[in-house]
Amino acid sequence: MDKDIPAHVGIIMDGNGRWAQKRGLVRTQGHLEGLKTAKKIVKAASDLGIRYLTLYAFSTENWKRAAEEVGFIMGLVKQYLRAEFDFSKKNKIRTRYTGDLSGLPQDIQKEINDSITDTSSFEGMQVVLAINYGGRDEIVRAVRRFASHNNKNGAEYSEALNKISEEDIGGYLDNPDIPDPDLIIRSAGEYRTSNFLLWEGAYSELYISDKLWPDWEKSDLESAITDYQKRERRYGGVKSA
Ligand code: IPE
Ligand code: IPE
Ligand code: MG
């Protein structure tokens, strides 16, 4: 298992609602179970030696859901960040964030910021929480940051814009120091990205599992990695001789 462990794995944790519906439970019950799974998978990923784990917890489109469901998910985020400090400390897990923090309720913003600060010296796995995250939104925010940092006079400004490069945009994304994901996993069998890591995922290997997120175990993560290890990554080139 330890050969070629992907440095960065992204997970689209999908299927909480279906898990609950199948059992005649309310959707929020599925989110509660999904949180337990997230904790289990964070530990498993850390034990496997993954360096960065990005968890897609709430998209910029998920606000369309009922206020009750949205509120419940926000409450879980808070509970998770509060309750997991000891676990993070023990396992040296550092909290990072991607998304539009300013669009989240104040108390959640504070909770996320506190967790980032409190874990900033931990040198184990980095868990990137994607909450109020959209890949398109991240690119728009990167371009806006580029524009505000190149706030020159008219001619110089248009010159800077004309020369804008992939490195420029990549450098203004939320976490430019984190390598692109090697592997993106989606649970619950949907064959789409749903706006996850559009820029960074350009050459990520994709792994889709039919299993609903609350049913995920460490062995499912291991299966995804074993599958990843069989892939040949070509990045548009040709098979090496
Ligand atoms: C994923 O599970 C969690 C979030 C999007 C917050 P869903 O809630 O999307 O579950 P399904 O897709 O309805 O089963
Ligand atoms: C993607 O799942 C977002 C998260 C897992 C946080 P969705 O359930 O929102 O995606 P769609 O609606 O099926 O595309
Ligand atoms: Mg879903």
Side-chain angles (χ1 to χ4, degrees), residues 126-173:
Q126 302 193 17
V127 175
V128 187
L129 301 173
I131 305 169
N132 194 24
Y133 176 85
R136 288 182 175 181
D137 179 66
E138 187 189 14
I139 295 166
V140 168
R141 288 184 294 100
V143 172
R144 283 191 191 139
R145 278 182 209 130
F146 173 86
S148 74
H149 289 177
N150 287 278
N151 197 3
K152 301 165 177 152
N153 68 41
E156 280 174 348
Y157 185 55
S158 65
E159 197 190 324
L161 276 185
N162 276 325
K163 287 198 301 205
I164 192 167
S165 66
E166 292 189 7
E167 286 71 28
D168 286 328
I169 294 183
Y172 282 101
L173 292 173

Side-chain angles (χ1 to χ4, degrees), residues 68-86:
E68 193 211 346
E69 182 175 348
V70 171
F72 188 87
I73 294 169
M74 292 300 152
L76 285 182
V77 167
K78 199 162 157 177
Q79 186 184 314
Y80 171 81
L81 291 169
R82 284 257 173 101
E84 290 311 284
F85 180 72
D86 290 342

Side-chain angles (χ1 to χ4, degrees), residues 12-15 18 56-59 62 65 130 186 190 192-194:
I12 303 170
M13 307 182 290
D14 196 20
R18 277 165 278 177
Y56 201 9
F58 194 85
S59 76
N62 286 148
R65 299 184 180 199
R186 182 166 188 149
E190 236 63 80
R192 54 177 172 262
T193 62
S194 301

Side-chain angles (χ1 to χ4, degrees), residues 51-237:
R51 297 295 308 150
Y52 305 93
L53 180 70
T54 299
L55 297 177
Y56 201 9
F58 194 85
S59 76
T60 48
E61 287 72 49
N62 286 148
W63 299 105
K64 291 174 188 163
R65 299 184 180 199
E68 193 211 346
E69 182 175 348
V70 171
F72 188 87
I73 294 169
M74 292 300 152
L76 285 182
V77 167
K78 199 162 157 177
Q79 186 184 314
Y80 171 81
L81 291 169
R82 284 257 173 101
E84 290 311 284
F85 180 72
D86 290 342
F87 169 82
S88 296
K89 191 172 174 188
K90 187 162 170 246
N91 294 284
K92 301 271 158 286
I93 292 171
R94 182 173 163 194
T95 305
R96 305 284 300 265
Y97 173 77
T98 183
D100 181 6
L101 191 66
S102 69
L104 288 170
Q106 290 286 342
D107 58 327
I108 308 292
Q109 289 188 35
K110 180 172 169 8
E111 218 60 59
I112 292 171
N113 279 328
D114 286 352
S115 178
I116 291 171
T117 309
D118 295 346
T119 64
S120 63
S121 65
F122 297 167
E123 290 178 338
M125 186 174 77
Q126 302 193 17
V127 175
V128 187
L129 301 173
I131 305 169
N132 194 24
Y133 176 85
R136 288 182 175 181
D137 179 66
E138 187 189 14
I139 295 166
V140 168
R141 288 184 294 100
V143 172
R144 283 191 191 139
R145 278 182 209 130
F146 173 86
S148 74
H149 289 177
N150 287 278
N151 197 3
K152 301 165 177 152
N153 68 41
E156 280 174 348
Y157 185 55
S158 65
E159 197 190 324
L161 276 185
N162 276 325
K163 287 198 301 205
I164 192 167
S165 66
E166 292 189 7
E167 286 71 28
D168 286 328
I169 294 183
Y172 282 101
L173 292 173
D174 289 341
N175 293 297
D177 62 305
I178 298 181
D180 288 342
D182 301 292
L183 171 64
I184 291 179
I185 294 169
R186 182 166 188 149
S187 60
E190 236 63 80
Y191 283 68
R192 54 177 172 262
T193 62
S194 301
N195 208 6
F196 187 50
L197 302 179
L198 296 185
W199 183 281
E200 302 89 333
Y203 276 99
S204 301
E205 296 297 327
L206 306 177
Y207 180 87
I208 289 153
S209 153
D210 283 335
K211 245 191 185 180
L212 305 175
W213 180 247
D215 291 327
W216 265 59
E217 302 281 350
K218 183 180 187 185
S219 60
D220 296 295
L221 181 63
E222 286 170 342
S223 301
I225 294 172
T226 304
D227 197 85
Y228 163 83
Q229 289 168 336
K230 294 182 197 136
R231 311 281 180 91
E232 192 203 30
R233 304 184 74 186
R234 289 189 295 277
Y235 301 95

